[in-house]
Amino acid sequence: MIPKPKLRRVLPALRQAVTGHRLLFAAKTAAAAGLAWYLAPLMPGTAASYPYYAPLGVLVSMHPTVAASAKHGLQSLLGLGLGIAMAFVVTTVSTPTALAVAVVVGLGVVIGGLPRLGSASEWVPMAALFVLVLGYSNTQGFSFAYVLQMAMGVAVGFAVNWLVFPPLHLEGIDPAIDGHQRALSKQLEDMASAMMESWPPNHEDWANRSGELARTATAVRTAVQAAKLSAKANPRSRRRAGRLGGDLAGLRTVERLTFHVQDITDVLASVIWEENAGTVIPEGVPRNLSRALEDVATLIRRWRHGDAEDFKGALDDAHDSVAALGGTLTEVAAENAPVNAPASVAMSLRRIITAVSDG
């Protein structure tokens, strides 16, 4: 029986592995490998004697996106070509001795280190080794069979990936942006609450959330970039990927919001806990500051959600409360009170409003 702590670690990993996308990808790869094996004996000449390279070609070409399938498949064939050419040179002067094996593997690794080879770098020493060891007695025939079967497998893998439900990873974008919206909104709400508490505030977890905000922002960036890559060379992208322009704009807005919220967090944390930082919030400011933070938090939460009227109301409230904060700061500054910290927060809030309005 599996202990409960281990079970709690294993189950999430299993759920991640057994997703709909993963099962479909596995089914497509299996079907493509079976088709390649079926077609392999039909290849001309000596190639029919090496059918096992055809499913291998499928494996190197099957990737989660159509563009990646084409890229890795072609790079693998390039690596095969380079490795075979190097093996040809070695076999003209040596049999498959330990020294010859060491030479082709070493040279293959060196050649594979050339820039921009990508997946080809892994195949250069492997192809050279296979030709030297397995095809020494018939180098030309083996090399022809190797390349032909691999090329056929790559073509079959790409065709299946391109024709059968080509992956278009759009469904992960909205949850990622929604999660980050909630994180940003909660951060501002917690800081708004802190402004009305006795200092230092009873809770200070918001001051240490920069890493968490960065992680949720990265999740948004990853989801949008995955969708962008999956749309390349994808026949389904014409019908379903028109939204990518808006998603990329949403990503840019999220990154701007994250920067400004983190800046507000740093300023307010400095005001509360860094005694010698020279940053203070003058009396009479915290209430207006709290209201402005709260209204901007509501604005972020309603961005991309709800109807236009709700968003417009939240936008007007945020404008009004930040304007009221600005008026308070002007009055306080007239009394020679230091306002650098709240003025910085007010500027960041204005920029958040602008970013959300433009996004």
Side-chain angles (χ1 to χ4, degrees):
M1 184 175 179
I2 301 177
K4 287 185 178 180
K6 289 186 177 180
L7 191 61
R8 284 194 293 268
R9 292 194 297 268
V10 169
L11 289 179
L14 289 176
R15 281 194 293 268
Q16 186 176 359
V18 189
T19 61
H21 274 301
R22 195 66 185 175
L23 291 176
L24 176 60
F25 183 67
K28 288 167 58 175
T29 304
L35 179 59
W37 181 263
Y38 174 78
L39 296 175
L42 305 179
M43 293 297 101
T46 57
S49 302
Y50 301 93
Y52 35 83
Y53 290 118
L56 183 60
V58 168
L59 291 177
V60 302
S61 69
M62 291 297 286
H63 283 265
T65 65
V66 174
S69 288
K71 177 182 177 181
H72 287 277
L74 292 175
Q75 286 179 340
S76 298
L77 293 178
L78 172 62
L80 287 179
L82 291 173
I84 289 171
M86 184 178 63
F88 260 106
V89 173
V90 174
T91 54
T92 58
V93 297
S94 175
T95 58
T97 63
L99 178 60
V101 168
V103 168
V104 297
V105 170
L107 288 177
V109 171
V110 171
I111 294 173
L114 294 174
R116 305 181 69 85
L117 282 184
S119 298
S121 62
E122 302 172 5
W123 285 95
V124 176
M126 190 180 302
L129 181 63
F130 280 8
V131 171
L132 176 65
V133 176
L134 301 179
Y136 172 74
S137 60
N138 183 17
T139 304
Q140 186 172 355
F142 178 82
S143 300
F144 168 77
Y146 192 8
V147 172
L148 185 61
Q149 293 286 20
M150 285 286 290
M152 188 270 287
V154 166
V156 168
F158 174 79
V160 170
N161 210 18
W162 188 71
L163 293 172
V164 182
F165 299 109
L168 192 58
H169 302 292
L170 301 178
E171 70 285 347
I173 297 174
D174 285 337
I177 292 181
D178 289 349
H180 194 58
Q181 276 183 254
R182 288 191 296 271
L184 292 174
S185 180
K186 180 171 175 29
Q187 181 74 352
L188 292 179
E189 288 172 347
D190 285 353
M191 288 189 286
S193 298
M195 293 304 99
M196 301 307 296
E197 296 177 1
S198 59
W199 288 12
N202 295 327
H203 65 288
E204 57 184 73
D205 53 327
W206 57 267
N208 301 311
R209 284 197 196 128
S210 291
E212 180 181 341
L213 293 177
R215 284 191 296 274
T216 55
T218 298
V220 175
R221 189 179 305 110
T222 300
V224 174
Q225 293 302 326
K228 184 179 178 182
L229 289 174
S230 71
K232 290 183 178 180
N234 193 319
R236 298 168 65 200
S237 64
R238 297 177 184 176
R239 299 190 303 272
R240 299 181 58 188
R243 56 172 286 184
L244 276 176
D247 290 327
L248 289 171
L251 171 61
R252 289 190 290 270
T253 300
V254 160
E255 291 175 334
R256 291 169 66 188
L257 297 180
T258 303
F259 174 80
H260 296 310
V261 171
Q262 288 178 321
D263 188 58
I264 293 172
T265 302
D266 291 341
V267 170
L268 294 182
S270 174
V271 167
I272 297 171
W273 287 289
E274 295 181 19
E275 296 181 0
N276 300 319
T279 52
V280 296
I281 302 292
E283 291 185 10
V285 173
R287 183 172 296 278
N288 291 96
L289 179 56
S290 176
R291 178 63 183 273
L293 289 166
E294 186 72 39
D295 286 345
V296 173
T298 301
L299 176 64
I300 290 177
R301 191 167 58 250
R302 291 183 180 174
W303 174 57
R304 291 172 58 106
H305 292 287
D307 56 35
E309 195 63 31
D310 288 342
F311 177 75
K312 184 178 183 305
L315 184 60
D316 290 340
D317 290 344
H319 272 300
D320 292 343
S321 60
V322 173
L325 173 61
T328 300
L329 293 178
T330 300
E331 295 174 3
V332 171
E335 300 174 359
N336 295 322
V339 294
N340 289 343
S344 174
V345 173
M347 179 61 70
S348 294
L349 291 175
R350 291 189 190 97
R351 288 172 175 168
I352 289 173
I353 293 172
T354 301
V356 172
S357 301
D358 295 343

